[in-house]
Amino acid sequence: MLSAHQPFETYPALIREAAYEAGGVAQVAGGVPAMCDGVTQGQPGMELSLFSRDVIAMAAGIGLSHNMFDAAVYLGVCDKIVPGLAIAALTFGHLPAVFIPAGPMTTGLPNDEKAKVRQLFAEGKVGRDELLEAESKSYHGPGTCTFYGTANSNQMLMEIMGFHLPGA
């Protein structure tokens, strides 16, 4: 349901097809629950954000625990999902692994304009409606979110460590 994960909807079928063409077999070992703190702010359950890393690590680990795989492909975005998947990957360090990001989200409202509206809201100069309008304009496409958080730096770190292909 999150725009950051929307591109992954078709990836399992694409991965299966590519593996088949290379003479292999691919299957989904499991899926993990994921949340976005940008979406859950102020909502019931928002405090579960950091706990979700452990749940993600456990769910991915359980999916790999069948000792049936020669390698693993991890589909993830964000500073909760990717670390959770990395924990699972390290637990199964004997399996070659690659992480595939969803690609960058196109932005509608530049970060400096969004920051200005946030500042005006903090000063009480604009209301919640103006703030929500700016936030909605900022997150309007699929892919790694443009939030002033760690989603994009997280994706860059995975590339720097060699877990993503260069330019991913």
Side-chain angles (χ1 to χ4, degrees):
M1 67 151 245
L2 300 175
S3 58
H5 309 138
Q6 186 275 334
F8 290 140
E9 184 175 356
T10 60
Y11 280 31
L14 295 171
I15 292 167
R16 275 193 208 93
E17 185 178 325
Y20 177 78
E21 289 174 8
V25 176
Q27 60 185 356
V28 175
V32 299
M35 64 184 301
C36 172
D37 15 353
V39 175
T40 61
Q41 289 299 306
Q43 302 299 316
M46 72 179 238
E47 70 281 353
L48 299 174
S49 178
L50 294 178
F51 292 116
S52 71
R53 288 180 181 162
D54 294 330
V55 173
I56 291 162
M58 186 180 296
I62 289 169
L64 292 172
S65 69
H66 299 91
N67 197 25
M68 297 176 57
F69 305 101
D70 297 318
V73 175
Y74 296 92
L75 307 177
V77 175
C78 192
D79 60 337
K80 284 143 309 288
I81 298 144
V82 172
L85 293 175
I87 292 166
L90 291 169
T91 303
F92 290 85
H94 62 285
L95 293 176
V98 65
F99 285 73
I100 300 177
M105 177 187 286
T106 56
T107 186
L109 186 66
N111 283 332
D112 58 342
E113 289 182 38
K114 178 172 62 175
K116 182 179 178 182
V117 174
R118 286 179 174 178
Q119 181 63 38
L120 292 171
F121 178 76
E123 294 171 2
K125 295 179 179 174
V126 298
R128 184 171 170 80
D129 289 343
E130 290 86 358
L131 176 66
L132 292 177
E133 181 180 346
E135 295 294 331
S136 294
K137 286 181 180 176
S138 298
Y139 308 104
H140 75 284
T144 304
C145 70
T146 57
F147 178 63
Y148 270 147
T150 54
N152 287 308
S153 57
N154 189 64
Q155 298 297 309
M156 289 176 17
L157 179 63
M158 295 303 285
E159 183 175 327
I160 290 165
M161 292 189 319
F163 291 121
H164 283 174
L165 293 175

